[in-house]
Amino acid sequence: AFPMKVTARLDEANVRVILGELLPVTLALDEDGGGARWIRIDPARAIDFVADDGLRVEVGGHLQWKTAGLPLPLTIKSAHLILRLAVAEDEDGGHLVFHPSLETMDLKNIPGFLDTGIANLINKRLAGEGDRLSWRFSRTLRASVPMGQGLAEIASFELSAGSGGVQITNDALLFTVDLGMRFTRTAPPPAPDTP
């Protein structure tokens, strides 16, 4: 196979499009999924690239909490999420994992010490979502394309993806993946003519 590295660069405009498709989103905070407590994260207001760390996203939203058995709807005036990305190896080669966490949250008319307790619970639930928030790029980028009858000795073109890496700079997210390309043959290549 012919090895090569391919790098995709996502700047703020690209990230805004992706987040625009992801947000708004509602996350159940009860482990049983009962729906009594949840957080709704609104679309991104601002995005900052934190070099060698992740993406910091400013959002607003809504939170439903339960106090004394009664639902308590709350407004999130402002919150900062940090989205860290990592490549994890797996049996297929690798997958890109997104690790979201809540850095700060300002709830309307709620004392700050309650914000911290609620933020801890939200981060616990977000940590549990990490495996679901992943892209199995080695599986996605694997392909075998039959070449058809026109090329008698060539059976197929094959693409495979191996390991990868992710880097955050001051203005972009860089995702690199190792690709392999090759042609498979139906018959060995003919021997060269000798003089």
Side-chain angles (χ1 to χ4, degrees):
F2 174 72
M4 67 175 164
K5 285 190 180 296
V6 175
T7 299
R9 182 182 190 280
L10 284 78
D11 60 15
E12 183 177 345
N14 303 129
V15 172
R16 280 196 177 278
V17 169
I18 293 167
L19 288 177
E21 293 173 356
L22 175 66
L23 301 174
V25 68
T26 302
L27 174 67
L29 297 175
D30 295 315
E31 291 192 17
D32 64 2
R37 295 184 300 179
W38 49 263
I39 183 171
R40 181 178 188 268
I41 301 169
D42 286 343
R45 296 177 185 162
I47 300 166
D48 291 319
F49 292 87
V50 182
D52 300 323
D53 190 18
L55 300 171
R56 181 173 289 120
V57 182
E58 181 186 350
V59 297
H62 299 279
L63 178 72
Q64 181 163 296
W65 202 248
K66 195 171 184 180
T67 302
L70 298 172
L72 177 64
L74 302 169
T75 298
I76 302 170
K77 292 195 295 186
S78 177
H80 288 97
L81 298 169
I82 189 89
L83 184 60
R84 292 181 176 92
L85 295 95
V87 172
E89 299 299 318
D90 61 22
E91 66 278 358
D92 293 318
H95 60 279
L96 182 63
V97 184
F98 302 86
H99 298 284
S101 64
L102 182 62
E103 282 190 318
T104 61
M105 180 174 60
D106 183 12
L107 293 171
K108 187 175 179 181
N109 301 323
I110 298 293
F113 71 91
L114 285 176
D115 289 1
T116 303
I118 293 170
N120 288 340
L121 174 68
I122 292 168
N123 279 330
K124 182 180 172 186
R125 288 294 293 137
L126 286 172
E129 296 297 315
D131 250 6
R132 285 190 269 227
L133 292 171
S134 68
W135 173 38
R136 300 198 177 280
F137 62 85
S138 291
R139 190 180 301 164
T140 305
L141 298 175
R142 183 182 317 131
S144 180
V145 181
M147 297 309 292
Q149 306 263 332
L151 299 171
E153 295 86 8
I154 308 298
S156 65
F157 168 74
E158 294 186 355
L159 177 69
S160 61
S163 61
V166 64
Q167 179 187 7
I168 305 291
T169 67
N170 288 327
D171 64 351
L173 181 158
L174 304 173
F175 173 64
T176 302
V177 63
D178 294 329
L179 293 179
M181 297 187 305
R182 72 184 192 120
F183 290 95
T184 61
R185 301 183 67 85
T186 57
D193 293 334
T194 55

